[in-house]
Amino acid sequence: MLRKFSNSRTLEDNLKLGALTAFSGGMVNVASLLIFFSFSSNVTGHYAILASEIVKGNLYQTAIVFAWIFLFFLGSFISNLIVIHVAKTNTYLAHATPLFLEIICLLSVGYYGQFYYRETLIETEIMLGILLFAMGLQNGLTASISNFAVKTTHLTGTTTDLGILFSMFTKKEFRENKELRGKAKLLSVIATSYLAGAIISGLLYFETGFQVFYIVSLFLTVVIFYDLYQLKIGNYLKLKKNKTSKSKKPAFALKTGIPLQTFSNIKEEQLKEETV
């Protein structure tokens, strides 16, 4: 899921990555909406708000909304920067690091919100900015390592692509196209997982409050260590296979230019001559 890069990824790899990260994206977005009355997993609406604040001449609000958009951009930028510069050394580490950073952001918001949050405007603006940065990290990571096939923090493009694909499936030639069916399956899984995460997050929030961000962090931690476990198991099996294949090789081999059967015949004739 996190070990492979770009075109070397299979549909199954992208399905796992899309389902799990979309689930966490849905959880964060709904928690942000319920707590801060604003979305944190996409910036489409923030662009509209930015334009509106510019028209109204509200310089402070314009700067704040621009900062939110920039933080989402910065998260995506840093995520891909890590991937392209660290992947040559350790692919898994390059892909896991943005998720570690996202977890740190979520834990910081959850901890501050649980113990120190006084519902002031400046606190809300800062914590929302941190969540936007975290979602930028996640979206940048999934898009980067999947060659832009997986984007899991918002569903605008996903819904558009599904509409296009389902219209194409009205023709038999497209319904029989394995690649198109796989893409439709991937997008459907992303949309379903995002919705499931959003619903569960909403239910959990009324019981846990800011602690819902701990739950999302725990979920992402499981994703990271599950893939690390699979990597170690794969390396162990590969090492064991190599040792087994080496042990089956003969210790030495008889090298001769005379076939074995011919050599036996010659020796037999020599013995007969010596007897005579």
Side-chain angles (χ1 to χ4, degrees):
M1 180 165 52
L2 296 176
R3 293 165 287 163
K4 298 179 181 178
F5 182 71
S6 192
N7 294 328
S8 64
R9 298 179 64 83
T10 64
L11 175 62
E12 183 180 359
D13 293 326
N14 285 337
L15 282 172
K16 290 179 182 178
L17 178 69
L20 296 173
T21 53
F23 186 86
S24 64
M27 291 188 73
V28 172
N29 202 33
V30 166
S32 173
L33 180 62
L34 293 174
I35 297 172
F36 304 122
F37 305 103
S38 181
F39 297 112
S40 61
S41 70
N42 62 81
V43 292
T44 305
H46 293 306
Y47 273 102
I49 296 172
L50 177 64
S52 140
E53 296 299 338
I54 291 174
V55 170
K56 293 176 182 177
N58 296 331
L59 296 181
Y60 176 78
Q61 289 302 323
T62 298
I64 291 297
V65 178
F66 178 80
W68 288 343
I69 295 172
F70 177 76
L71 283 168
F72 190 93
F73 161 84
L74 184 63
S76 181
F77 172 83
I78 291 176
S79 185
N80 191 63
L81 189 70
I82 293 171
V83 169
I84 62 177
H85 286 283
V86 182
K88 292 181 180 180
T89 305
N90 188 318
T91 304
Y92 173 79
L93 180 63
H95 297 174
T97 300
L99 288 185
F100 277 120
L101 295 176
E102 180 184 353
I103 290 171
I104 292 172
C105 291
L106 296 178
L107 288 176
S108 65
V109 171
Y111 181 80
Y112 186 89
Q114 182 180 1
F115 296 105
Y116 302 105
Y117 186 47
R118 296 294 178 266
E119 299 186 14
T120 64
L121 180 60
I122 187 66
E123 287 176 310
T124 300
E125 291 168 345
I126 292 173
M127 285 197 285
L128 186 57
I130 293 173
L131 291 178
L132 282 160
F133 176 75
M135 291 294 95
L137 284 168
Q138 178 177 303
N139 207 45
L141 172 68
T142 56
S144 178
I145 67 177
S146 68
N147 199 22
F148 298 96
V150 179
K151 295 179 181 178
T152 58
T153 62
H154 54 276
L155 300 181
T156 305
T158 301
T159 307
T160 303
D161 290 346
L162 279 173
I164 293 171
L165 286 169
F166 277 98
S167 70
M168 294 175 70
F169 289 154
T170 58
K171 297 188 69 174
K172 184 178 179 181
E173 60 181 290
F174 294 126
R175 288 197 302 272
E176 294 177 349
N177 188 306
K178 185 178 179 181
E179 184 178 349
L180 290 178
R181 291 203 311 269
K183 184 175 182 180
K185 182 179 180 181
L186 173 62
L187 295 177
S188 299
V189 166
I190 289 173
T192 304
S193 298
Y194 188 95
L195 181 61
I199 293 172
I200 292 174
S201 177
L203 295 173
L204 288 173
Y205 168 73
F206 293 109
E207 298 294 331
T208 62
F210 273 93
Q211 295 178 43
V212 69
F213 293 112
Y214 299 159
I215 298 171
V216 183
S217 299
L218 178 62
F219 179 78
L220 290 174
T221 302
V222 171
V223 171
I224 291 173
F225 283 99
Y226 167 81
D227 219 48
L228 180 61
Y229 172 78
Q230 293 294 319
L231 181 63
K232 287 187 175 181
I233 290 295
N235 289 338
Y236 171 76
L237 293 176
K238 185 177 179 181
L239 182 62
K240 187 175 180 181
K241 183 179 178 182
N242 290 338
K243 287 182 178 179
T244 304
S245 62
K246 287 181 180 179
S247 64
K248 289 182 179 179
K249 290 182 179 180
F252 64 90
L254 179 64
K255 295 183 179 180
T256 176
I258 304 174
L260 188 60
Q261 186 63 34
T262 304
F263 180 77
S264 300
N265 293 339
I266 292 172
K267 291 297 291 182
E268 185 176 351
E269 289 178 3
Q270 289 176 350
L271 288 172
K272 286 181 180 179
E273 289 177 359
E274 288 176 0
T275 304
V276 173

